[in-house]
Amino acid sequence: MSFKENTDIVFEHYEKKIYDQKQLLEISRALNSTLDYKYLIDAILNICLAQLQTLHAAMYLEPEIDLGLFKLEPQSIKGFELNTEEQNYEVKIDSPLIHYFEEKPKAITMDQILLMDTLKSIPDVTYLRKMGAEILVPLNAKGKVNGLLVLGDKMTSEEFSEDEKEFMTTLANLAGIAVDNARLYELATVDMMTGLKIHHYFQTKLKEEMDRCRKKGTKLCLLFTDVDHFKNFNDTYGHQAGDVVLIEVAKQLINAGQRHHIPARYGGEEFCLVMPGATEDEAMAKGEEIRKAVESMVVKNPNDGTDLKVTLSVGVSSFRTTDRSNKDLIERADKALYQAKHSGRNRTICYKD
């Protein structure tokens, strides 16, 4: 090889290094620009798919703090085709594989793992091989492993280069910190039983959205929901059954809401949905969608396994330029909800003067 050819290869290598560093800088900015936990996970997986040219990516994360294990979440799988048993597989934090990554926190291929007597036969490695994993990368935050990134083979069928493994190690470190921050933020702003935003967060975001409406002339609607005869339900079936109902109703709000909507727990069994940009007609349609979903759902009684059903009343209000505070918009939604409750329940009503 001539001197010029050798020099060209060296330059090309350093240009690639500079490009990768620029990419990581942009990725770091993107990951730290959001505290939305689910959106963040989706963004990390999409970055992995694009950067490593693979069609398969998944992330094992700790479902709850100090639970002692990592699991896949529904939004943390891309491309891997897994049955229910495989999706529910748990990687224990005290697993030899996690201990290895605590000692050596960097990307490693499955071929490298299979050369290690201490790891090649453990259940986690056997499962991940069956799943289709080609490279594993630990997520790190505050000096500990807080997740595991699993990637399938490359579309080009090439092996992962050392530069790519180094790139993924750095990316996983950035992702680990971002995920940790998002999880802490979620714990501070989410009602752990229902998964809905807490009251204080709701009030803060509603004020922000109302301010935006005043400045930009945009639309805003608010949905208030209440489980019909919930006190009687609790007295009849017990508070455990009541909690199960609240969890299932909350799921309907979360599933029906779009990404920019804010589902929250106002208090007790009263839930709400903040809908930036929505017209009254759109909010009414969304209220009906949620109401019908609750009406058709069946909840298992945790005490005896019998089927239980509930209905939902919904009140809708829309932002007015004369609104001085959150209280005005909330009061109208509450009045519409009151009207829905006292005109037969299990219906959606929009506030009218």
Side-chain angles (χ1 to χ4, degrees), residues 33-291:
S33 67
T34 180
L35 288 169
D36 186 319
Y37 186 68
K38 292 179 181 177
Y39 175 78
L40 183 64
I41 292 171
D42 191 63
I44 292 166
L45 293 176
N46 284 331
I47 289 167
C48 293
L49 294 175
Q51 292 293 325
L52 270 77
Q53 297 182 326
T54 177
L55 296 174
H56 308 87
M59 202 169 355
Y60 281 84
L61 296 165
E62 200 172 7
E64 299 174 26
I65 287 180
D66 292 330
L67 195 61
L69 56 88
F70 297 126
K71 285 186 69 174
L72 290 173
E73 297 182 25
Q75 71 273 15
S76 67
I77 311 168
K78 298 270 188 183
F80 287 112
E81 295 182 5
L82 308 175
N83 59 37
T84 303
E85 184 182 350
E86 291 168 334
Q87 286 186 19
N88 291 332
Y89 185 85
E90 299 170 352
V91 178
K92 301 290 193 297
I93 285 179
D94 60 1
S95 157
L97 183 63
I98 302 302
H99 284 317
Y100 171 84
F101 282 130
E102 286 173 347
E103 295 292 326
K104 298 179 180 178
K106 59 183 182 180
I108 186 170
T109 64
M110 190 58 71
D111 287 342
Q112 289 174 305
I113 291 175
L114 295 177
L115 295 175
M116 302 178 191
D117 292 336
T118 54
L119 294 181
K120 66 181 182 182
S121 300
I122 66 171
D124 291 338
V125 170
T126 302
Y127 164 74
L128 291 169
R129 281 185 68 197
K130 181 184 174 185
M131 174 180 168
E134 287 294 326
I135 185 167
L136 307 180
V137 198
L139 273 64
N140 284 278
K142 299 174 184 174
K144 60 174 282 190
V145 175
N146 67 335
L148 186 63
L149 194 55
V150 180
L151 303 170
D153 55 4
K154 295 173 72 172
M155 288 184 284
T156 58
S157 299
E158 297 174 356
E159 293 185 359
F160 290 98
S161 68
E162 289 303 315
D163 283 347
E164 286 173 326
K165 286 190 279 186
E166 185 181 328
F167 180 91
M168 286 307 303
T169 298
T170 307
L171 172 60
N173 287 333
L174 296 173
I177 295 167
V179 166
D180 199 50
N181 290 338
R183 172 56 63 83
L184 290 173
Y185 181 73
E186 186 176 66
L187 289 172
T189 60
V190 172
D191 173 59
M192 287 297 104
M193 186 182 86
T194 62
L196 299 169
K197 294 296 184 181
I198 61 174
H199 184 91
H200 176 73
Y201 181 93
F202 157 73
Q203 293 282 7
T204 302
K205 295 301 289 184
L206 183 61
K207 183 179 184 303
E208 288 177 6
E209 293 301 335
M210 290 179 71
D211 288 343
R212 183 175 289 113
C213 287
R214 293 186 188 98
K215 290 176 184 177
K216 299 187 176 181
T218 52
K219 305 278 186 187
L220 173 66
C221 282
L222 175 64
L223 263 63
F224 257 40
T225 73
D226 190 70
V227 179
D228 296 326
H229 300 297
F230 189 68
K231 184 181 183 304
N232 291 340
F233 184 95
N234 267 342
D235 291 343
T236 304
Y237 300 106
H239 287 280
Q240 277 190 319
D243 286 348
V244 173
V245 164
L246 293 182
I247 290 167
E248 293 304 315
V249 171
K251 284 180 184 177
Q252 303 306 326
L253 259 79
I254 293 168
N255 293 338
Q258 297 172 12
R259 185 175 174 269
H260 60 285
H261 292 164
I262 304 159
R265 187 173 189 179
Y266 189 78
E269 73 276 15
E270 201 166 54
F271 301 160
C272 51
L273 185 68
V274 182
M275 299 179 62
T279 64
E280 280 189 0
D281 288 344
E282 289 169 337
M284 282 291 291
K286 185 61 68 176
E288 276 294 280
E289 178 187 337
I290 295 167
R291 184 192 65 77

Side-chain angles (χ1 to χ4, degrees), residues 304-340:
D304 58 18
T306 55
D307 291 344
L308 301 174
K309 292 180 73 68
V310 294
T311 59
L312 195 72
S313 294
V314 184
V316 177
S317 65
S318 59
F319 173 79
R320 296 176 177 179
T321 54
T322 54
D323 288 341
R324 293 167 297 174
S325 67
N326 290 8
K327 184 180 177 183
D328 297 328
L329 187 59
I330 290 170
E331 278 188 352
R332 291 198 301 277
D334 201 39
K335 285 178 180 178
L337 177 61
Y338 179 87
Q339 188 178 351

Side-chain angles (χ1 to χ4, degrees), residues 17-34 39-40 43-44 46-48 51 167 170-171 174-175 178:
K17 283 276 189 183
I18 292 169
Y19 174 78
D20 285 349
Q21 291 301 315
K22 287 181 178 178
Q23 288 287 93
L24 286 168
L25 183 60
E26 290 302 316
I27 290 168
S28 177
R29 286 173 180 162
L31 295 183
N32 287 292
S33 67
T34 180
Y39 175 78
L40 183 64
I44 292 166
N46 284 331
I47 289 167
C48 293
Q51 292 293 325
F167 180 91
T170 307
L171 172 60
L174 296 173

